[in-house]
């Protein structure tokens, strides 16, 4: 397994941007597809974006497509989530997850490791 630590959350006005980072420790970060999920109060954890482990194919939920960009740097054991044009409905705790599946899964139960989460709050 890998251990994951997220950073980069904060408070931003609607229309603003944030960049989240998730750094992994442990071996073979490149063997994992990575996903960013989010969980708002009273709601289930939902898939936001994911990136495959080999060819860097990316996947997005409809709610963030065109606004968020996921990327990874295997040399730094880090996956990023660039969030632009933020909306109040993007407010949530954001988690990164690692899965041994070759592609990121939309179902959170497929993930082997999770970070502790980072809060993103978008004010109107």
């Amino acid at each position: 397994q890998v251990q994951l630590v997220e950073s980069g959350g904060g408070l931003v006005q609607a229309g603003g941007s944030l960049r989240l980072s998730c750094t992994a420790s442990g071996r073979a970060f490149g063997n994992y597809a990575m996903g960013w999920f989010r969980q708002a109060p009273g709601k289930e954890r939902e898939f936001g974006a994911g990136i495959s482990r080999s060819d860097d194919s990316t996947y997005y939920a409809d709610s963030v497509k065109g606004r968020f960009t996921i990327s990874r740097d295997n040399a730094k054991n880090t996956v990023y989530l660039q969030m632009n044009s933020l909306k109040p409905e993007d407010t949530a705790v954001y988690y990164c997850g690692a899965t041994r599946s070759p592609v990121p899964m939309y179902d959170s139960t497929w993930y082997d490791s999770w970070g502790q989460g980072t809060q993103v709050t978008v004010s109107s």
Side-chain angles (χ1 to χ4, degrees):
Q1 282 189 337
V2 292
Q3 292 76 48
L4 305 173
V5 178
E6 301 100 335
S7 61
L11 173 65
V12 64
Q13 289 187 332
S17 299
L18 283 174
R19 188 195 196 201
L20 306 183
S21 299
C22 172
T23 300
S25 59
R27 296 184 178 181
F29 174 71
N31 286 348
Y32 293 86
M34 301 297 295
W36 282 100
F37 285 70
R38 63 187 186 183
Q39 188 166 16
K43 296 187 177 181
E44 293 187 352
R45 190 171 297 191
E46 65 176 10
F47 176 83
I51 189 166
S52 68
R53 68 185 183 193
S54 58
D55 63 359
D56 287 352
S57 296
T58 56
Y59 307 79
Y60 297 96
D62 288 343
S63 57
V64 308
K65 196 173 296 182
R67 300 187 298 121
F68 291 10
T69 303
I70 188 171
S71 60
R72 67 188 297 162
D73 185 339
N74 286 350
K76 296 183 177 180
N77 281 9
T78 300
V79 61
Y80 304 97
L81 185 68
Q82 178 66 45
M83 305 187 296
N84 299 328
S85 301
L86 283 162
K87 305 174 181 180
E89 51 263 43
D90 294 318
T91 295
V93 177
Y94 283 69
Y95 299 89
C96 69
T99 173
R100 295 180 186 272
S101 168
V103 296
M105 306 301 289
Y106 288 74
D107 184 344
S108 62
T109 61
W110 282 85
Y111 288 75
D112 306 292
S113 301
W114 292 97
Q116 83 288 350
T118 185
Q119 177 70 47
V120 171
T121 303
V122 184
S123 63
S124 57

